Amino acid sequence: NYPLSNLEIVKDVREEFGRACAEEFGYPAKEMKLIGVTGTNGKTTCTHLIYEILKKLGYRVARVGTMGVHYADVDKNFDMTTPDVDILQREFFEMRAREIEWVVMEVSAHAIDQKRIEGLEFEVGVLTNITQDHLDYFKTIENYAECKLSFFDKKYLRSAVVNIDDNYAMKIFQNPKVPTIFYGMQNPADVFAIDVKSAPNGSEFYCNLFDEVLTFKTKLVGDYNISNVLAALSVCANLGLDMEGVKDALKSIGPVDGRFNVFNLSGKSVIIDYAHTPDGLEKVLQTARKVTKNRLFCVFGCGGNRDVDKRPKMGAIAEK
């Protein structure tokens, strides 16, 4: 029943909706510094590490992602990794009222494709990896990868931190759109780890950080988690934080609930992990095998009703 004079034809409704929501709340995100983490696996752990480090260094910081929205005494849960744009802008509005300085958030492929981050400018964007997931929505791994990679553009980012060990990261390496720090465990990088020692209760390693070698200890276990730690350290270096302070903060940060949580029951170790992709399950089992002297039992489930192709792959990985 609206008169045509009140309507405007636009090229992309979602894009305009994102901008309208930002305007409605007075562009609150412009008064905070944003760090966005994308990737198939590792987003939650990376955001958790960066959030906890910043908090321990005395900054007023918020976290947005799979585990919900957290800052000060606020603890909310949403159905999506990255909330839809109207909810997200309202959260930024409330954060601004609480004088939040930094927001560390997970950026899902769905959020990029559906323009939920439209109008936001991130101080740093992080790419952890790109492996099979959400093919029910994106149809091919190439479509999924291109969506993730589109985040690494000056439209969204001022700088980037990228895992050079990932096959798709080479596209960024060959043509970076913003100043980029590369980290890795296998390939030559600006930030890399050597002499990693892991036990069920944590890890210790040397980190070459732009040719400065430092020793780090973490409660996280496994090479894939060391890679997540390297991503967090690269972000901290990018932001110019005091690395000795970062080093002290890292020691006390435990894993996220459901991410390689180790429990001891009657002398036996039990590991609980959220792994729900082929790559995630493989990395968890490889790590568990390294820290297990005797038999290793695996009980896993796979939500295969959407991405049906990953179920047999995960079965094969568990069997191997």
Side-chain angles (χ1 to χ4, degrees):
N1 296 325
Y2 288 100
L4 290 179
S5 59
N6 288 353
L7 300 179
E8 183 179 347
I9 296 174
V10 297
K11 290 183 179 179
D12 191 316
V13 171
R14 278 197 166 273
E15 191 170 320
E16 292 301 326
F17 180 59
R19 292 172 182 167
C21 289
E23 184 175 353
E24 174 69 18
F25 288 101
Y27 299 98
K30 289 186 179 294
E31 297 178 40
M32 294 169 276
K33 294 183 178 179
L34 309 183
I35 299 169
V37 182
T38 195
T40 307
N41 300 310
K43 294 189 298 298
T44 302
T45 295
C46 279
T47 54
H48 168 69
L49 287 168
I50 298 165
Y51 167 78
E52 290 292 341
I53 288 170
L54 287 170
K55 194 165 68 167
K56 289 177 186 297
L57 292 178
Y59 293 96
R60 294 188 297 276
V61 56
R63 182 181 70 188
V64 179
T66 304
M67 308 301 285
V69 175
H70 305 278
Y71 60 93
D73 57 348
V74 174
D75 188 355
K76 301 178 183 178
N77 289 309
F78 297 106
D79 293 334
M80 294 181 283
T81 298
T82 312
D84 218 338
V85 64
D86 52 337
I87 298 171
L88 194 57
Q89 289 292 345
R90 184 189 67 211
E91 292 301 322
F92 287 143
F93 177 80
E94 293 179 6
M95 290 174 193
R96 182 175 63 181
R98 300 290 289 273
E99 298 184 330
I100 293 296
E101 301 170 282
W102 288 91
V103 180
V104 189
M105 62 180 286
E106 297 179 49
V107 178
S108 68
H110 288 80
I112 298 168
D113 187 62
Q114 295 174 5
K115 311 293 176 68
R116 297 181 205 162
I117 57 169
E118 208 58 42
L120 299 180
E121 186 173 19
F122 293 80
E123 198 73 21
V124 191
V126 181
L127 176 65
T128 58
N129 50 58
I130 299 175
T131 61
Q132 182 180 335
D133 202 11
H134 303 305
L135 297 194
D136 57 309
Y137 181 92
F138 289 98
K139 306 306 179 187
T140 68
I141 185 68
E142 289 74 22
N143 291 341
Y144 175 59
E146 284 303 317
C147 179
K148 291 277 192 191
L149 294 174
S150 70
F151 181 55
F152 294 85
D153 188 274
K154 59 185 179 181
K155 175 183 178 182
Y156 298 114
L157 309 180
R158 291 177 180 165
S159 62
V161 166
V162 173
N163 180 7
I164 195 62
D165 294 336
D166 185 80
N167 291 332
Y168 290 96
M170 278 297 161
K171 291 192 175 183
I172 298 175
F173 181 77
Q174 292 165 356
N175 184 28
K177 304 290 179 60
V178 295
T180 304
I181 293 173
F182 292 95
Y183 71 93
M185 299 281 288
Q186 300 161 6
N187 295 320
D190 301 308
V191 179
F192 60 92
I194 51 177
D195 195 19
V196 178
K197 296 174 183 175
S198 283
N201 60 346
S203 307
E204 184 175 354
F205 63 97
Y206 291 100
C207 177
N208 187 308
L209 197 72
F210 303 103
D211 295 330
E212 180 182 5
V213 179
L214 299 170
T215 307
F216 288 92
K217 291 183 179 180
T218 174
K219 291 183 178 181
L220 276 59
V221 182
D223 286 354
Y224 69 98
N225 266 326
I226 300 303
S227 182
N228 291 330
V229 172
L230 290 177
L233 295 179
S234 300
V235 169
C236 292
N238 184 312
L239 300 177
L241 302 181
D242 172 52
M243 294 312 295
E244 286 299 322
V246 171
K247 183 176 174 179
D248 289 339
L250 183 64
K251 290 179 186 177
S252 61
I253 301 172
V256 182
D257 288 345
R259 271 64 171 188
F260 212 90
N261 302 145
V262 183
F263 301 90
N264 189 282
L265 297 175
S266 304
K268 294 180 173 62
S269 294
V270 178
I271 298 163
I272 296 177
D273 196 277
Y274 176 72
H276 64 286
T277 66
D279 179 67
L281 181 64
E282 183 173 43
K283 284 183 168 59
V284 166
L285 289 178
Q286 286 172 341
T287 299
R289 179 71 274 173
K290 284 183 181 179
V291 298
T292 303
K293 291 181 181 179
N294 300 308
R295 291 186 297 174
L296 174 64
F297 293 87
C298 172
V299 179
F300 84 100
C302 172
N305 293 330
R306 294 188 303 169
D307 188 350
V308 296
D309 184 52
K310 70 180 182 179
R311 187 182 286 266
K313 292 180 179 179
M314 292 178 73
I317 287 165
E319 182 182 19
K320 181 181 178 181

